[in-house]
Amino acid sequence: MQKNNMRFLAVDIIYLTLAIIPLLFGIVLNILFTPASSGIEISGALIYFTIKMPLQDLPITESQVNSWIVILSIFWICMYMTHGLKSKDCLRRQHIAEWIVNTTESLVKGNMGEYFKGFAPFIAAIMGLSAFSSLLTLIGLYPPTSDINIVGGWAILVFILITYYKFKCGPIHYIKSFGDPVPLLAPLNVISEVATPVSMAFRHYGNILSGTVISVLIASGLKGLSSIVLGWLPSFLGEIPILQIGLPAILSVYFDLFSGCLQAFIFAMLTMMYISGGFPAEDFFKKKSRKAKYNKETI
């Protein structure tokens, strides 16, 4: 019995270690590749190296690497959370995992309907990837959600799913839908269709990036104000940015923690709304019923 407990504990430690290693790897890369700076700077993702390609070179950036860091960390955290599942005498982490699953399934069922209940893992993945990507700033890493290329990729994936479900009644029904409610609005409906992934990407990206910029500007301003107000103090005392203590940390909690998680939730809600809203449920089930009736009569 004791041997089994030791083995169980060892596996837990391995899972947690594997979840932490990618984060440590990202921190080391950030230290090695970030150029020396004399002050506060606002810049995009670092380019680690470039792969030569026939048509266009492929840069491997900090955003791409950090996205994979988040994916690997989440994977091993999930392995840890689901290790040792039991029907009785459950561990606390199993209760947390079950709560996450039940909450996500209820959220999907309530917003998308019974037909889309299989979307729960996808929605949970979107919220987890987005939230953890934004939270990387808490350990000094560049958040992939501050890169329009990363968030734009997510939005394009969602747009493909939206279009797929709009095609459920066939291409003719899809083309006719642009004329609803009146044919004169077709050009506006086409523009709205294209604007969907653009608005999703820029909303998420803009909110995360703006929070980072505001935090940096306020921290920089407080440093200058501290120098002006307390610069008369003798020796090194006048160089200590005392006014930077407190407020930047509070802003970091809001922009990095609260706002990051909020934007992840909003992106997931928009995903559910656009996919279920674009699905012609009534026409699809009527078509399915007619097809089933025809097949029955044919047999």
Side-chain angles (χ1 to χ4, degrees):
M1 188 69 177
Q2 186 177 1
K3 187 177 180 180
N4 291 335
N5 290 337
M6 291 296 294
R7 187 183 293 114
F8 186 88
L9 181 61
V11 174
D12 278 351
I13 294 173
I14 291 172
Y15 285 151
L16 291 175
T17 303
L18 291 173
I20 294 173
I21 285 176
L23 299 174
L24 296 177
F25 175 75
I27 293 172
V28 172
L29 275 182
N30 185 56
I31 293 173
L32 293 177
F33 283 88
T34 301
S37 175
S38 58
I40 297 176
E41 294 182 357
I42 300 174
S43 59
L46 296 173
I47 299 177
Y48 290 133
F49 58 91
T50 303
I51 301 175
K52 296 295 181 180
M53 303 292 286
L55 298 178
Q56 185 177 355
D57 293 341
L58 175 64
I60 303 301
T61 68
E62 193 176 12
S63 298
Q64 295 165 312
V65 173
N66 288 355
S67 292
W68 277 105
I69 286 173
V70 171
I71 291 171
L72 289 173
S73 294
I74 291 177
F75 173 77
W76 291 114
I77 289 173
C78 290
M79 292 295 292
Y80 169 77
M81 296 287 287
T82 56
H83 179 223
L85 296 179
K86 299 178 182 178
S87 58
K88 295 181 180 180
D89 300 327
C90 303
L91 298 173
R92 183 176 299 177
R93 63 184 180 215
Q94 181 175 338
H95 290 297
I96 296 174
E98 290 175 352
W99 176 82
I100 293 172
V101 172
N102 292 331
T103 302
T104 307
E105 288 180 347
S106 299
L107 185 68
V108 171
K109 188 176 179 181
N111 288 279
M112 301 182 76
E114 186 69 25
Y115 182 79
F116 291 96
K117 62 182 180 180
F119 260 74
F122 179 72
I123 297 301
I126 286 179
M127 287 194 287
L129 182 59
S130 176
F132 277 88
S133 295
S134 299
L135 293 177
L136 284 183
T137 53
L138 296 176
I139 58 174
L141 295 180
Y142 183 84
T145 44
S146 290
D147 191 331
I148 187 62
N149 299 292
I150 300 296
V151 184
W154 300 350
I156 291 173
L157 175 61
V158 172
F159 179 69
I160 292 172
L161 289 172
I162 295 170
T163 306
Y164 170 77
Y165 280 98
K166 284 186 175 182
F167 264 91
K168 278 289 188 176
C169 286
I172 296 177
H173 185 280
Y174 174 71
I175 294 172
K176 285 182 177 180
S177 67
F178 288 107
D180 293 335
V182 291
L184 291 176
L185 294 178
L188 293 178
N189 289 332
V190 172
I191 295 173
S192 175
E193 191 81 358
V194 177
T196 297
V198 176
S199 64
M200 289 185 69
F202 275 93
R203 180 185 289 107
H204 197 321
Y205 154 78
N207 280 288
I208 299 299
L209 181 63
S210 62
T212 303
V213 172
I214 291 171
S215 296
V216 171
L217 289 177
I218 290 178
S220 179
L222 289 174
K223 181 180 179 181
L225 181 62
S226 181
S227 178
I228 294 172
V229 175
L230 305 174
W232 56 271
L233 293 174
S235 186
F236 68 93
L237 294 176
E239 299 177 3
I240 300 176
I242 296 177
L243 297 181
Q244 275 189 321
I245 300 173
L247 183 57
I250 296 173
L251 291 175
S252 178
V253 169
Y254 173 78
F255 288 117
D256 297 336
L257 187 60
F258 175 74
S259 181
C261 294
L262 178 63
Q263 293 307 316
F265 178 75
I266 291 174
F267 192 89
M269 289 296 294
L270 290 175
T271 298
M272 291 187 288
M273 182 185 72
Y274 284 132
I275 292 177
S276 60
F279 175 58
E282 185 176 351
D283 294 335
F284 174 75
F285 289 118
K286 284 182 179 179
K287 181 181 178 181
K288 191 175 180 180
S289 178
R290 287 196 302 267
K291 187 176 180 180
K293 184 178 181 181
Y294 173 78
N295 291 336
K296 187 176 180 180
E297 292 175 352
T298 303
I299 294 173

